[in-house]
Amino acid sequence: MPTTASSASGPSKTRLSAAALPALAGAYVLAIELPGPVPLRLAGRMAGSLPAGRFLYCGSARGPGGLRARIARHLRRRKTLRWHVDRLTTRGRVVAVWAVPGGDECDLVAALAGLPVPVRGFGASDCTRCASHLLAWPDGVALPLGPPTLSAG
């Protein structure tokens, strides 16, 4: 499933780096910790707020630079807000990444079935398979993904 090309460990404030990830197309899961609520507004939906907590975002990397480029972008705090998940990665902290060369983001969402969907349509506005590509990750819930490719400790 996920590649283990690189692993970072250490104190919880360790900065993750995507440098060792493959420049291949694939899919990924970001584990994001939000210290406080994040206001959200998705096109065609009422504005709302995502509470503090832990969340999993499933995405794809099909463009130039593949997984390495896309995940490196998600790890940067300062960036143009382009995707739904940018609102979370600029306010919260990515604490783990699972990278799956050749993988599919909807297959990752399916593997995480049973986790709560906090915002319908989040990251999935062009997806017909998934209710959301964002899932809540409650404390104590083990993930069926194996060890993360990158981890903050």
Side-chain angles (χ1 to χ4, degrees):
M1 178 85 125
T3 183
T4 54
S6 174
S7 170
S9 62
S12 62
K13 296 293 183 192
T14 299
R15 178 112 172 113
L16 301 181
S17 170
L21 292 174
L24 300 171
Y28 57 88
V29 177
L30 303 177
I32 304 166
E33 286 183 352
L34 297 179
V38 174
L40 292 177
R41 181 169 185 89
L42 303 184
R45 292 180 170 70
M46 291 191 55
S49 180
L50 192 61
R54 296 186 317 163
F55 299 89
L56 300 170
Y57 173 77
C58 301
S60 65
R62 306 265 179 244
L67 290 163
R68 181 185 307 142
R70 179 60 56 88
I71 292 168
R73 183 186 189 285
H74 287 316
L75 295 176
R76 287 194 311 266
R77 302 272 302 183
R78 299 180 67 150
K79 59 191 153 213
T80 301
L81 300 181
R82 178 175 298 153
W83 292 293
H84 292 157
V85 71
D86 291 341
R87 278 106 184 125
L88 308 186
T89 59
T90 56
R91 299 264 187 121
R93 189 168 70 91
V94 176
V95 296
V97 176
W98 290 265
V100 185
D104 177 79
E105 65 193 310
C106 297
D107 290 345
L108 291 171
V109 171
L112 297 166
L115 292 177
V117 172
V119 180
R120 292 188 65 78
F122 188 100
S125 44
D126 61 349
C127 180
T128 58
R129 281 178 57 190
C130 306
S132 179
H133 286 182
L134 181 70
L135 304 164
W137 184 15
D139 287 338
V141 174
L143 301 179
L145 301 174
T149 309
L150 302 174
S151 175

